[in-house]
Amino acid sequence: MASLQTKPRSWFKRDPNQPRKSFDEEALRRLAESMKAQGQLQPVGARPDGMLLWGDRRLLAAALAGLQELQVIITDRQMSESEIRVIQFTENMLREDLKPIEQVDGLEELARLNPGITNKALAELVHLDPSMVTRLRAISKVAPPVREALAAGKIGLSTAYAISKCESPADQERMLAQALSGASRDAIEQAGRQSRNSKPATVKLSRVKIAMPQGASVVISGKELSMSELVELLSETLKEARKAAEQFDVKTFQSMMRDKARKG
C-alpha cells in the first residue's frame, strides 16, 4: 500500500545501485531554482526505510535549494530487486534521459536479474521499442576502448551500435579510431560492412568437444555451429544451469534440458 507523506530530507537514503550514476550540474541548479521558487511539484518515491525508488534529482536539487522536507510516496509493497530496477530505469528514461552508457548498463543489469529473458520481453518490461533494446544490448558487448569512448561522450549510441556489428575487437578499435577522427556514422557503417564482407567463410562444426579441467569434457553435436553460435548456446545453457542449481540436482537438470530440447 502506498501513502503520501512529508519527510525531512535527512530521512532519505540514495540507492547505490540506481541506474543513474551522474547528474548534469547545470540541470540540477535549474531544478533547484525552480523548487526554491515554486516548491516541490512532484513527490519522490521511497520504501519505508527511506531508500529512494525514484527522485534522486529532486533530492539533490532540494539540498541545493535549502529545502528541509520533501513530499514522498512511501510504498510498503514487497518488491524484488528486478522490480525496483525496472521502476528506476523507466522513471529515469521518461523524465530525463539516462546517459548512453547508463542506458546500456541499466538494461544489462535488468537482463542479469531476469535470466533467460528475451529482448522482446525486456522491451515490454521497460516500455522501450524492441529495436532500441536490441541496439543497447549489442553495445554492451563492444571492446573496452569503444565502451570508454561512449562513457566519455566521444561517440554516440548510433556510432557505438555500428561498431558493435563487427565481432573482432581489432576491427572495432579501428572503426573507433575512424569515428574519433571525425568519420560519420554512415562512414563507420560502410567500413563495418566492408570488414565483414572481407572475412573468410565462417567455419561450422556439427560436433564440438571441449576439454575441461579435472578431466571432464563437454560434447555438443547435432546442428552445425559457428563460434559465435557456440558461445550463445553455452551462455544460454549456463543461465539455465544457474537457475536450476537453486532447486534441482544435476540429474534432474539433465532431464529438464532434454525435455526442453524436445519441445523446442
Side-chain angles (χ1 to χ4, degrees), residues 51-95:
M51 182 68 74
L52 272 179
L53 293 173
W54 70 85
D56 261 30
R57 291 180 65 249
R58 272 160 282 171
L59 178 62
L60 294 175
L64 290 176
L67 301 183
Q68 298 305 312
E69 296 180 329
L70 283 174
Q71 283 192 321
V72 54
I73 296 174
I74 299 177
T75 177
D76 57 7
R77 180 171 69 86
Q78 292 295 316
M79 288 183 285
S80 67
E81 187 178 358
S82 174
E83 290 176 304
I84 293 172
R85 295 293 166 261
V86 168
I87 290 173
Q88 294 173 335
F89 186 84
T90 53
E91 201 271 344
N92 275 311
M93 286 289 286
L94 292 172
R95 292 193 180 279

Side-chain angles (χ1 to χ4, degrees), residues 4 48 55 58 86 91 93 98 105 130 161 166-167 210 237 247 262:
L4 180 63
R58 272 160 282 171
V86 168
E91 201 271 344
M93 286 289 286
L98 293 166
D105 290 346
Y161 178 57
C166 281
E167 294 184 3
I210 305 170
T237 304
Q247 305 177 55
R262 286 172 178 168

